[in-house]
Amino acid sequence: QVQLVESGGGLVQAGGSLRLSCAASGHTFSSYSTGWFRQAPGKERKFVAAITWRGDNTNYADFVKGRFTISRDNSKNTVYLQMNNLLPEDTAVYYCAATMAPFDLRVQDEREYDYWGQGTQVTVSS
């Protein structure tokens, strides 16, 4: 019922920046929280950041805190992930996901999310 389309990935040198976008369509007027996850080749998918429907609360993984910023613009049905000071270990496929669950520590668990985007590749060169 909800479709998520990600964009903004690409190739960037270490220390550079990228801004990912996640545009939602379908049943977008229901309240939901949105998270970003990433998966590197051969590794498990890991939580990156999440934001409430109203944008009044956020949560970040320790390894991106201070470098990445999640935000949303509900007038555009879009969630953003601003990534600064990128490192080679940030290289991964980045996914956005949406959940109707309450915003608590479970937002870090991918099993709590109902809808997923197709992913966008981020590659950081050294």
Side-chain angles (χ1 to χ4, degrees):
Q1 300 296 91
V2 176
Q3 293 78 47
L4 305 175
V5 179
E6 300 161 346
S7 61
L11 175 64
V12 65
Q13 289 187 304
S17 299
L18 285 173
R19 190 191 197 194
L20 306 183
S21 299
C22 175
S25 62
H27 194 52
T28 58
F29 290 100
S30 297
S31 61
Y32 59 91
S33 297
T34 304
W36 286 94
F37 294 79
R38 73 187 192 188
Q39 185 169 209
K43 296 189 176 181
E44 72 278 5
R45 187 153 55 189
K46 298 178 65 176
F47 170 78
V48 176
I51 189 169
T52 57
W53 175 64
R54 291 183 292 184
D56 58 347
N57 201 6
T58 58
N59 187 270
Y60 295 93
D62 288 341
F63 55 83
V64 302
K65 190 171 295 185
R67 299 190 297 125
F68 292 9
T69 302
I70 189 171
S71 62
R72 73 190 310 153
D73 184 347
N74 286 340
S75 69
K76 299 179 179 179
N77 298 124
T78 301
V79 175
Y80 304 98
L81 184 68
Q82 178 67 46
M83 305 186 296
N84 298 326
N85 302 313
L86 283 162
L87 304 169
E89 49 262 46
D90 294 319
T91 295
V93 176
Y94 283 71
Y95 300 89
C96 67
T99 178
M100 299 296 295
F103 194 86
D104 54 29
L105 288 178
R106 296 208 292 178
V107 299
Q108 300 180 11
D109 188 343
E110 67 177 36
R111 295 173 295 180
E112 297 299 311
Y113 289 81
D114 304 302
Y115 306 102
W116 291 82
Q118 78 290 339
T120 184
Q121 177 70 48
V122 172
T123 302
V124 184
S125 63
S126 60

